[in-house]
Amino acid sequence: MFAKVTFKAVTVTLLLVIGQGLSATVVNADDLSERIAPVGSTCLQGDDCAKAVAATSSSARSTDSIYNTSCMACHATGAAGAPKLGDKAAWQARLAQGLEPVYANAINGINAMPARGGCADCSDEEIKAVVDYMVDSVK
């Protein structure tokens, strides 16, 4: 009997609380639109918004800053077989093929190295400049 009384009391209390919440809420259409508006949007290549993103991502960056941000973690330590900066023996086999395959590997990725060395917003020219920087260290 106690359980039935307790259940009824809880049920009545919940209904009162829910009912008060519903009756006290006045929804303004503008407030509702603002609350359910998307947090972000998608920008596809070819859209006007994509041109703005491309313009901001192509700002001048130094080769050193790109190397220090995206390349140094592996190329300073030799992680995952990456040729170390300044290690002539490690670079010699890669450079025997010429610079074009080295550029292509840097841009497209190879083995554990992701495309562009993880610098997704770097241009091909920036990646080539970083490769030149690393190659210059072994000359």
Side-chain angles (χ1 to χ4, degrees), residues 11-128:
T11 304
V12 170
T13 304
L14 285 174
L15 290 174
L16 287 173
V17 169
I18 292 170
Q20 287 177 353
L22 292 176
S23 65
T25 303
V26 177
V27 178
N28 179 342
D30 292 334
D31 292 341
L32 180 61
S33 295
E34 185 179 325
R35 286 190 354 227
I36 64 171
V39 176
S41 62
T42 302
C43 183
L44 301 175
Q45 185 175 7
D47 291 349
D48 288 336
C49 56
K51 292 174 187 167
V53 170
T56 58
S57 68
S58 64
S59 61
R61 296 180 274 201
S62 73
T63 303
D64 284 341
S65 70
I66 295 170
Y67 173 81
N68 290 331
T69 304
S70 300
C71 310
M72 184 176 72
C74 295
H75 286 281
T77 63
K84 289 184 186 182
L85 183 70
D87 183 348
K88 289 182 182 184
W91 282 97
Q92 188 174 16
R94 289 162 177 87
L95 293 175
Q97 305 169 24
L99 269 177
E100 288 307 315
V102 178
Y103 289 147
N105 290 339
I107 292 168
N108 301 316
I110 185 168
N111 299 329
M113 186 176 107
R116 302 182 183 285
C119 183
D121 64 338
C122 284
S123 67
D124 287 358
E125 291 74 26
E126 288 174 317
I127 296 299
K128 288 178 180 181

